Amino acid sequence: MQLTIADIAIKFGLIIIIFLISLVIAMYSTYAERKIAAFFQDRVGPNRAGPWGILQPLADGGKMFLKEEIIPTNATPFLFIVGPSLAILTACIGSAVIPWGQNLVVNGKVIPLQVTDINVGILYIFGVVSLGVYGVMIGGWASNNKYSLLGAIRAASQNISYEISMGLSIIALLLVTGTLSLGEIAQQQHGWHWNVIYQPVGFILFLVCAFAETNRTPFDLPECETELVGGYHTEYSSMKLGFYLFAEYINMFISSAVMATLYWGGYNYPGMDWVTAHVGPVIGPLIGTAVLFTKIFLFIFFFMWVRWTIPRFRYDQLMDLGWKILIPLAIANIVVTGIVITFL
Amino acid sequence: MESLSNRKKQLEVKPLNFWEKAYLPAIVKGLSITMGHFFKKPVTIQYPEQKREFSENYRGLHSLKRDENGKERCTACGLCALSCPAEAITMTAAERQKGEEHLYREEKYAAVYEINMLRCIFCGLCEEACPKEAIYLDGDIVPSDYLRKDFIYGKDKLVEAPLNQ
């Protein structure tokens, strides 16, 4: 296919928009987190900066940028800077393969609402997510602080353990869908054929692993302040710390998007054919995009809801859950799915 | 061992059943509890704008009282200073002059009366010790300040406003 300048411009615009959306959502996730935490604790939450405190993320960001930047004397300066950069980079590039909506048709021109529909989309996501642990690991190592290193080791071993069961839970899904491309998986779930109906156990496994992968409570062992001072980012200050925290929120957004796409039908909603036919070929898909974002926001809310409900795991419990429960369960799920597909 | 109060209960630790082991039902229950709190009304008191009422017996900032005619009650007997466990109170007594009868109730009065708010522990013993009902801890919280010397409160801050104002 010959790429015209218009195609490239559209792609570039889409990349910029998705990048900005993920940054803004991550920014306001911090606000939402504080607000939701407050509601769960019968408080009011931030309400001083602007109406209802909606300027709070900007104030926080300004504070982060203006704080003194400290690089410890015994740290490795290059790696110390690379750590948070890697964390935020890997968090941002995950959004490239997520289908944000159906193809838009404007003046006979098809505009796909997906940066790139590579045919190994899920593997790409997994690759990127597993690179994310390098940011944490390098940061903890470069700090030259034993608590940071312990936090980083815990992060690494946790991420690796849970990535195994995450991958296994995906395999059962792939048996059902028969494709690795996220665009195709989203298309297959047209209407009501959401994968969560066919793969409920797989979804729960994936959900649990997503919590662990994003280092969210109850799996936030890398930053256990009571045991490890602060965890892998103990030595970090100013915006380098900000990048680590920000990466966590972007990761949360991306993994919510992945879960919505893989299991909850992505941009599909019941009756979308009727809407597309009657409302228009542009508005219809855009409603689908809005539906996808609603699902994503619900997942982000769920992340926060769980954070204020379940206490942190002890480390050995975490490993027990990962290796002795989730992995066997995921394998059993694959076997059952395989049997069902073969004989039914 | 014999229980002292006879209220000891033997707790039975049963093995977890399947649903308890599965952990997820407990999580769902926990989620429902937190969700209940999500819709509750916040109990926050928005401090600078709203203030919580102190209890009746709250001991706050001291005030030196005047009597019904607006005369200062304190006679500088020094019992408050004597009773003060933190030694926060100091005073200098002076004799009432002719023409000052409307200011001080008795012949002796406190020319200087100082309480060091950094030392004061707000125990209320001065209040109890005072035979003239001249000092009460009925004020607000002591406000913050930058310099230590500003925490030594003199009569200008402690004496009640005159009646005619």
Side-chain angles (χ1 to χ4, degrees):
Chain A
M1 191 182 83
Q2 193 67 42
L3 273 180
T4 62
I5 300 230
D7 287 332
I8 293 168
I10 287 168
K11 272 279 170 288
F12 195 70
L14 191 67
I15 291 169
I16 297 285
I17 288 169
I18 287 168
F19 183 62
L20 289 181
I21 285 177
S22 29
L23 290 190
V24 169
I25 286 181
M27 219 165 95
Y28 274 90
S29 295
T30 65
Y31 168 73
E33 172 102 67
R34 294 175 64 181
K35 229 23 188 179
I36 287 169
F39 290 149
F40 279 127
Q41 296 170 344
D42 302 338
R43 295 187 283 118
V44 171
N47 64 347
R48 298 282 146 168
W52 307 290
I54 49 170
L55 298 179
Q56 190 66 41
L58 297 178
D60 287 342
K63 189 194 84 175
M64 279 286 187
F65 274 109
L66 293 174
K67 274 200 158 186
E68 188 189 0
E69 193 154 58
I70 298 165
I71 297 181
T73 322
N74 292 324
T76 320
F78 175 67
L79 290 180
F80 195 74
I81 294 164
V82 164
S85 321
L86 254 181
I88 200 145
L89 178 79
T90 51
C92 284
I93 58 178
S95 61
V97 292
I98 292 163
W100 300 101
Q102 275 179 310
N103 293 344
L104 287 181
V105 182
V106 183
N107 294 335
K109 190 160 175 51
V110 179
I111 303 171
L113 286 183
Q114 185 178 12
V115 173
T116 171
D117 187 11
I118 50 179
N119 53 11
V120 289
I122 294 180
L123 297 184
Y124 170 83
I125 293 265
F126 272 66
V128 165
V129 164
S130 56
L131 279 178
V133 73
Y134 274 94
V136 171
M137 194 69 212
I138 288 175
W141 168 257
S143 299
N144 204 2
N145 170 332
K146 52 169 132 9
Y147 295 110
S148 301
L149 183 61
L150 277 173
I153 289 172
R154 276 162 59 140
S157 50
Q158 172 189 322
N159 280 20
I160 290 166
S161 313
Y162 279 78
E163 208 148 293
I164 294 171
S165 38
M166 198 180 205
L168 289 174
S169 70
I170 278 297
I171 287 175
L173 179 78
L174 299 181
L175 287 176
V176 175
T177 58
T179 174
L180 284 163
S181 145
L182 283 170
E184 238 172 274
I185 289 175
Q187 273 167 27
Q188 283 176 3
Q189 301 177 68
H190 192 75
W192 263 120
H193 301 285
W194 295 357
N195 282 330
V196 69
I197 301 166
Y198 307 110
Q199 281 291 323
V201 178
F203 168 68
I204 289 170
L205 290 172
F206 193 88
L207 184 72
V208 172
C209 296
F211 272 81
E213 287 287 312
T214 46
N215 296 334
R216 293 287 299 184
T217 322
F219 302 101
D220 58 345
L221 287 133
E223 37 187 312
C224 180
E225 63 282 343
T226 44
E227 294 161 33
L228 295 173
V229 191
Y232 63 92
H233 54 49
T234 303
E235 297 288 352
Y236 280 89
S237 58
S238 104
M239 204 54 209
K240 288 208 285 298
L241 172 68
F243 271 7
Y244 271 131
L245 304 182
F246 212 61
E248 182 187 315
Y249 285 98
I250 300 176
N251 274 330
M252 202 162 79
F253 168 60
I254 298 299
S255 57
S256 298
V258 170
M259 275 189 285
T261 308
L262 288 182
Y263 287 99
W264 288 87
Y267 48 74
N268 294 296
Y269 56 98
M272 66 187 300
D273 285 330
W274 186 88
V275 173
T276 313
H278 286 78
V279 182
V282 177
I283 304 293
L286 285 182
I287 291 174
T289 308
V291 167
L292 174 63
F293 272 96
T294 313
K295 288 171 187 171
I296 291 172
F297 291 146
L298 286 176
F299 270 115
I300 291 178
F301 176 77
F302 186 71
F303 269 101
M304 291 169 182
W305 185 9
V306 168
R307 175 166 183 181
W308 299 105
T309 304
I310 305 171
R312 182 182 290 137
F313 278 107
R314 213 171 57 211
Y315 193 67
D316 58 319
Q317 290 172 334
L318 174 97
M319 282 296 158
D320 271 359
L321 180 69
W323 288 92
K324 291 185 185 165
I325 297 171
L326 292 186
I327 292 178
L329 208 58
I331 293 172
N333 190 35
I334 294 172
V335 172
V336 171
T337 312
I339 290 171
V340 168
I341 286 177
T342 317
F343 294 107
L344 294 182
Chain B
M1 206 177 91
E2 185 80 12
S3 160
L4 282 175
S5 61
N6 287 323
R7 283 182 295 184
K8 197 164 90 179
K9 263 188 199 168
Q10 195 64 48
L11 288 178
E12 204 181 335
V13 185
K14 288 181 203 149
L16 298 179
N17 65 29
F18 175 76
W19 290 111
E20 282 164 339
K21 269 192 210 149
Y23 200 56
L24 280 176
I27 287 179
V28 173
K29 198 177 159 199
L31 288 172
S32 70
I33 290 171
T34 42
M35 197 33 109
H37 279 270
F38 191 80
F39 295 108
K40 274 190 191 156
K41 214 170 165 297
V43 294
T44 310
I45 293 170
Q46 309 254 352
Y47 169 62
E49 294 93 26
Q50 278 178 320
K51 277 185 187 166
R52 186 195 224 126
E53 287 287 313
F54 288 128
S55 71
E56 292 268 316
N57 55 359
Y58 177 78
R59 292 197 287 257
L61 196 54
H62 317 65
S63 69
L64 290 173
K65 298 292 178 191
R66 293 171 187 274
D67 68 1
E68 58 277 7
N69 300 318
K71 302 173 187 173
E72 283 179 25
R73 284 172 171 263
C74 178
T75 60
C77 65
L79 282 178
C80 51
L82 198 66
S83 72
C84 181
E87 297 186 14
I89 304 176
T90 52
M91 68 185 72
T92 313
E95 201 177 331
R96 186 176 71 185
Q97 303 296 314
K98 271 252 160 20
E100 288 181 339
E101 285 83 359
H102 65 290
L103 291 176
Y104 312 110
R105 199 158 75 154
E106 293 180 32
E107 286 81 28
K108 200 170 139 219
Y109 72 95
V112 178
Y113 192 104
E114 285 179 342
I115 303 178
N116 187 340
M117 292 301 168
L118 295 173
R119 295 194 69 116
C120 180
I121 56 170
F122 301 92
C123 60
L125 289 185
C126 48
E127 198 177 83
E128 277 176 43
C130 185
K132 298 291 180 187
E133 299 192 331
I135 186 164
Y136 281 96
L137 275 70
D138 55 0
D140 211 337
I141 298 169
V142 176
S144 54
D145 218 321
Y146 291 100
L147 297 170
R148 298 186 77 83
K149 70 174 175 59
D150 292 336
F151 282 103
I152 298 169
Y153 280 32
K155 276 181 82 174
D156 55 327
K157 287 182 181 168
L158 293 173
V159 179
E160 270 191 329
L163 287 180
N164 54 11
Q165 272 187 9

